[in-house]
Amino acid sequence: MSSSPPAFPAVPFTLTRAGVIMVPQEGNDFEAAGVLNPASGRTREGELYLLPRLVAAGNVSRVGLAKVVMNDDGVPASVEREGIVLAPDEGWERGLQNAGTEDPRTTWVPALDRHLMTYVAYGPLGPRLAFAWSEDLRSWHRLGPCFFEYQADLSMDLNLFPNKDAVFFPEPVNDPDGVPSYAMLHRPMWDLGWVRDGEGEHLPAGLTDNRPGIWISYVPVAEVERDFRNLVHMSKHRLVALSEFPFEELKIGAGPAPIRIDEGWLLIHHGVSGEMEKSDFALQQKVNYAAAAMILDANDPSKVVARSAAPLLAPETADEKAGIVPNVVFPTAIEEVAGQLFVFYGMADSKIGVARLDRI
């Protein structure tokens, strides 16, 4: 555990609730257990869409597509459903007692002229990161599971561990050696006891804090240009941030794709506090998920230059406080609408909320 938090400059942004934008549709079997944690994107025609996680009975998750409808004030207010775009149809996305294409994050990458999706494939060995791409948000093409290159200084194979909360940067950045690269944030989880009784935690060399945190990995632009399928081969892994403040005492994870601002890269993230029961994969009843933010260095996004010492948005409304997992504000998408940034987030009551992001 960290002894005392470093003195980071404050992040000059606030989040203000703008309403609930999506609730489970009555009679829709795909949404029987909720709608939550959406990705987002725009079509080439400029139409704004959410790609929500739709949860059916038995905790089987699919990725849907829903057009965002604005109210008279130009604020996202509701959605029009357009079906399913990704389901656990591949063997590695299904176990004997589970299945899921979960918690998508999407990033429009102009240099690739494509939307990149990271999602959690909930397969035979639990949560594993996977990638897909699309030109129109409707047709998604799997690239397959993510592969982390072995890194000797970590003395650990990151492919052994469940991983979540992955998202790509929207443009190439320099890797630790100055090589122009596509970069991805992600969150490995070190406890292997869920897959092998008594195995417990295995930490990379040099890491003494066992709480899941935000990492970054890279793939050179030249390798992706040579073969787009190389995007799944990530390397040069670096720790970006661990839990530092009381509202994130258990773990942190990346939210929407980072946004370039004057100070660097703005990353909305979530922090979790409270008490974890059983494993990370059980439905928790004593935790609290809140939204916060950090700014990553423009030239080296593995470095944090500013950070929220308190949540920008914490569970307060009935929809955020009561649900299958209570006390949840889980940010996963960010979009600009008429010059205003909005953050979309999962709520405790298996609904999707929206909040306005303002600079102080």
Side-chain angles (χ1 to χ4, degrees):
M1 306 287 281
S2 299
S3 52
S4 59
F8 288 109
V11 175
F13 287 89
T14 62
L15 278 171
T16 305
R17 289 175 183 81
V20 177
I21 190 172
M22 188 173 184
V23 303
Q25 187 178 53
E26 188 174 350
N28 186 335
D29 290 342
F30 291 131
E31 302 179 11
V35 296
L36 58 157
N37 307 351
S40 65
R42 288 189 179 274
T43 64
R44 294 189 186 276
E45 295 74 35
E47 295 178 319
L48 178 59
Y49 279 83
L50 294 184
L51 292 96
R53 174 182 171 183
L54 311 179
V55 188
N59 194 29
V60 177
S61 294
R62 299 169 176 85
V63 178
L65 185 68
K67 183 179 179 180
V68 176
V69 178
M70 310 297 172
N71 65 17
D72 292 340
D73 297 321
V75 175
S78 62
V79 298
E80 296 174 352
R81 290 163 170 80
E82 295 192 8
I84 306 293
V85 295
L86 196 69
D89 298 326
E90 299 293 329
W92 48 274
E93 297 168 340
R94 304 190 305 271
L96 293 180
Q97 302 177 51
N98 60 272
T101 47
E102 303 181 351
D103 295 348
R105 308 287 210 280
T106 50
T107 306
W108 170 251
V109 183
L112 296 173
D113 196 35
R114 295 173 178 178
H115 300 273
L116 297 184
M117 178 193 288
T118 56
Y119 67 97
V120 176
Y122 193 26
L125 293 181
R128 184 173 185 182
L129 296 180
F131 301 158
W133 65 272
S134 176
E135 294 180 341
D136 61 6
L137 296 176
R138 292 177 174 85
S139 298
W140 287 91
H141 311 277
R142 287 174 174 82
L143 285 170
C146 175
F147 295 97
F148 293 103
E149 181 178 292
Y150 175 69
Q151 193 166 304
D153 67 326
L154 296 179
S155 185
M156 193 59 66
D157 177 6
L158 293 187
N159 297 295
L160 295 174
F161 301 94
N163 206 316
K164 291 187 174 185
D165 300 327
V167 65
F168 276 97
F169 285 73
E171 62 187 57
V173 299
N174 287 336
D175 76 7
D177 299 314
V179 178
S181 301
Y182 294 106
M184 179 188 75
L185 301 172
H186 56 103
R187 193 199 68 189
M189 295 171 280
W190 310 118
D191 186 2
L192 292 178
W194 63 277
V195 71
R196 186 181 182 192
D197 253 0
E199 192 64 34
E201 291 178 336
H202 292 259
L203 300 183
L207 185 65
T208 57
D209 192 326
N210 65 351
R211 294 173 295 178
I214 299 172
W215 287 64
I216 188 170
S217 297
Y218 307 83
V219 57
V221 169
E223 289 299 307
V224 178
E225 290 177 345
R226 185 173 63 83
D227 187 337
F228 182 62
R229 292 171 296 180
N230 285 332
L231 196 67
V232 304
H233 295 284
M234 308 301 295
S235 61
K236 300 183 182 178
H237 324 299
R238 297 290 188 276
L239 176 64
V240 176
L242 290 169
S243 300
E244 295 287 355
F245 303 104
F247 75 93
E248 54 185 27
E249 63 181 347
L250 294 181
K251 57 184 175 180
I252 58 172
I259 297 287
R260 189 69 172 86
I261 59 174
D262 291 343
E263 297 91 335
W265 290 101
L266 175 65
L267 174 66
I268 305 296
H269 70 282
H270 66 266
V272 185
S273 60
E275 181 182 339
M276 193 73 68
E277 298 176 315
K278 300 178 182 177
S279 77
D280 254 346
F281 312 109
L283 293 176
Q284 303 297 324
Q285 301 299 308
K286 298 181 180 180
V287 295
N288 186 297
Y289 283 77
M294 61 181 70
I295 298 174
L296 309 180
D297 187 271
N299 299 313
D300 182 358
S302 70
K303 296 179 179 178
V304 178
V305 298
R307 188 163 175 178
S308 303
L312 300 186
L313 196 69
E316 293 178 1
T317 69
D319 291 326
E320 295 164 353
K321 292 181 72 67
I324 297 174
V325 177
N327 300 313
V328 174
V329 168
F330 191 82
T332 53
I334 188 168
E335 292 290 343
E336 182 177 328
V337 178
Q340 175 68 63
L341 286 171
F342 290 93
V343 173
F344 301 88
Y345 63 96
M347 311 170 84
D349 200 21
S350 299
K351 300 174 182 177
I352 294 172
V354 61
R356 190 181 72 244
L357 182 71
D358 293 302
R359 182 181 279 272
I360 298 172

